[in-house]
Amino acid sequence: AQTVTQSQPEMSVQEAETVTLSCTYDTSESNYYLFWYKQPPSRQMILVIRQEAYKQQNATENRFSVNFQKAAKSFSLKISDSQLGDTAMYFCASPLSGGSQGNLIFGKGTKLSVKP
Amino acid sequence: DAGVTQSPTHLIKTRGQQVTLRCSPKSGHDTVSWYQQALGQGPQFIFQYYEEEERQRGNFPDRFSGHQFPNYSSELNVNALLLGDSALYLCASSLFGVEHADTQYFGPGTRLTVL
């Protein structure tokens, strides 16, 4: 069965420090996107960053960046200068195999707490 | 720019009942996907609708059905509710078949509780 694995159920970081969340995935798609979503207690799933698998350059969005290792099927998220508002569940997602139109399989999430 | 909207916010039903959840996609989007998120888990894909047809389906029983309307909005119907159907139901919208438009944008969800 297709899987996305987030090996860190919970993490904490001090405000202004850097934290890295890990993710490995499994897909048979050749061209695909990978995603990190954030879900704060408000429940809204918010897109954090997207990586195109055929691009070697790692994606960056302000304080968020990824380390994408295609051969290893690894896709980690680095948050720099952590802020209290970054406290949330973070989900890694990869495309569902079988001709998906953007449909996703998610990991179980990492609960990130940013402490003052 | 209107985002994805869902209604209702919360819903309480009893076992055996039927429920309908509603979703309006983000402005400019034509495709709607539905996910079920059990407590403490990541979302699981239920199905996707485009051009009023079901395009892809996850591993969910036939009790879960859907519909898409000409204005691209969508409904998720669940019949013969079970306690295990209690979850957050998320709707996501996207643009079908366009490069770089694979990204799904999510609504705030509907919390369904089955008693």
Side-chain angles (χ1 to χ4, degrees), chain A residues 33 35 37 39 42-45 47 50 52 54-55 91 96-108, chain B residues 9-10 33 35 37 40-43 45 48 56 88 90 96-97 99-100 102-104 106-109 111:
Chain A
Y33 301 91
F35 304 89
Y37 285 90
Q39 189 176 40
S42 65
R43 307 179 327 203
Q44 179 94 40
M45 193 76 78
L47 177 67
R50 178 180 75 175
E52 299 170 64
Y54 56 88
K55 286 190 176 179
F91 292 96
L96 271 172
S97 298
S100 76
Q101 278 291 327
N103 295 311
L104 301 168
I105 179 169
F106 286 82
K108 292 187 175 182
Chain B
T9 304
H10 295 92
S33 299
Y35 293 81
Q37 186 178 20
Q41 302 292 318
F45 172 68
Q48 181 188 62
Q56 188 178 19
L88 180 67
L90 295 167
F96 193 90
E99 186 182 4
H100 298 290
D102 287 2
T103 301
Q104 296 193 341
F106 286 81
R111 170 72 67 192

Side-chain angles (χ1 to χ4, degrees), chain B residues 11-20 63 78-86 111-115:
Chain B
L11 208 50
I12 299 175
K13 293 285 187 178
T14 57
R15 280 177 294 176
Q17 284 189 313
Q18 179 263 345
V19 68
T20 297
R63 297 188 298 109
V78 187
N79 294 322
L81 283 167
L82 304 174
L83 295 179
D85 295 331
S86 294
R111 170 72 67 192
L112 172 64
T113 301
V114 182
L115 301 176

Side-chain angles (χ1 to χ4, degrees), chain A residues 4-11 21-22 36-37 88-92 106-112, chain B residues 37 40-43:
Chain A
V4 173
T5 302
Q6 294 180 248
S7 59
Q8 305 145 316
E10 291 192 41
M11 295 191 73
L21 281 56
S22 302
W36 279 97
Y37 285 90
M89 285 292 292
Y90 285 81
F91 292 96
C92 173
F106 286 82
K108 292 187 175 182
T110 296
K111 184 178 181 180
L112 177 67
Chain B
Q37 186 178 20
Q41 302 292 318

Side-chain angles (χ1 to χ4, degrees), chain A residues 42-81:
Chain A
S42 65
R43 307 179 327 203
Q44 179 94 40
M45 193 76 78
I46 301 165
L47 177 67
V48 174
I49 197 166
R50 178 180 75 175
Q51 173 74 43
E52 299 170 64
Y54 56 88
K55 286 190 176 179
Q56 293 189 350
Q57 186 174 5
N58 290 323
T60 299
E61 287 286 343
N62 300 314
R63 298 182 295 106
F64 299 89
S65 61
V66 301
N67 182 4
F68 174 49
Q69 304 289 330
K70 190 173 182 179
K73 293 189 175 176
S74 169
F75 180 58
S76 61
L77 174 69
K78 186 171 83 170
I79 306 174
S80 303
D81 186 26

Side-chain angles (χ1 to χ4, degrees), chain B:
Chain B
D1 183 15
V4 181
T5 60
Q6 292 186 244
S7 63
T9 304
H10 295 92
L11 208 50
I12 299 175
K13 293 285 187 178
T14 57
R15 280 177 294 176
Q17 284 189 313
Q18 179 263 345
V19 68
T20 297
L21 311 181
R22 295 176 176 83
C23 171
S24 290
K26 180 179 166 67
S27 178
H29 284 180
D30 57 9
T31 303
V32 172
S33 299
W34 287 92
Y35 293 81
Q36 180 195 66
Q37 186 178 20
L39 198 61
Q41 302 292 318
Q44 277 196 291
F45 172 68
I46 304 175
F47 46 52
Q48 181 188 62
Y49 275 85
Y50 168 68
E51 289 188 330
E52 302 180 45
E53 291 186 5
E54 185 181 290
R55 296 290 174 163
Q56 188 178 19
R57 189 179 183 93
N59 189 24
F60 278 81
D62 292 345
R63 297 188 298 109
F64 290 77
S65 63
H67 188 78
Q68 186 180 33
F69 299 93
N71 67 352
Y72 309 124
S73 67
S74 175
E75 288 182 348
L76 164 65
N77 301 293
V78 187
N79 294 322
L81 283 167
L82 304 174
L83 295 179
D85 295 331
S86 294
L88 180 67
Y89 287 85
L90 295 167
C91 168
S93 75
S94 57
L95 196 58
F96 193 90
V98 177
E99 186 182 4
H100 298 290
D102 287 2
T103 301
Q104 296 193 341
Y105 294 88
F106 286 81
T110 293
R111 170 72 67 192
L112 172 64
T113 301
V114 182
L115 301 176

